Amino acid sequence: MRLLPLALAALLLMVHAELWFGKGGVPHEIALRSELKQQLAENAEARTRNEQLAAEVVDLREGTEMVEEKARRELGMVRPDELLVVVAK
């Protein structure tokens, strides 16, 4: 009769040990929550960047102003009747 409570107490200790120190225990869950929070932040940044790129694609497809602006900024292009002045600092 005395053996049953001892066996149950031993099982209870084993379950608690697995909960606190095992592979699927509390520390592992805390680490996973931290990774999840970091991944959600990265996803939000990527989503914002994707929205910006999608808007730029729409601008490039629909209007010539964006194409002209990119050509001027990235390629240094000027119109035939314009004068380009470069100021060095």
Side-chain angles (χ1 to χ4, degrees):
M1 201 52 107
R2 277 190 173 169
L3 199 55
L4 183 61
L6 288 176
L8 291 176
L11 286 174
L12 184 62
L13 285 174
M14 288 174 46
V15 168
H16 272 280
E18 182 66 27
L19 175 67
W20 291 103
F21 306 112
K23 184 177 180 181
V26 174
H28 184 67
E29 181 182 347
I30 292 171
L32 287 176
R33 285 179 190 243
S34 174
E35 288 180 30
L36 177 63
K37 188 181 293 185
Q38 180 182 2
Q39 188 63 49
L40 289 174
E42 289 177 16
N43 289 353
E45 290 175 13
R47 191 174 296 112
T48 302
R49 180 70 177 134
N50 286 344
E51 289 171 358
Q52 290 172 348
L53 290 173
E56 187 174 331
V57 167
V58 168
D59 286 345
L60 287 171
R61 285 184 180 164
E62 293 179 355
T64 59
E65 294 91 19
M66 185 69 169
V67 174
E68 183 178 343
E69 178 185 337
K70 280 192 126 353
R72 288 174 175 271
R73 185 173 6 108
E74 293 176 8
L75 302 175
M77 297 183 82
V78 293
R79 292 184 184 154
D81 59 340
E82 290 181 332
L83 178 63
L84 177 65
V85 178
V86 178
V87 178
K89 291 184 179 184

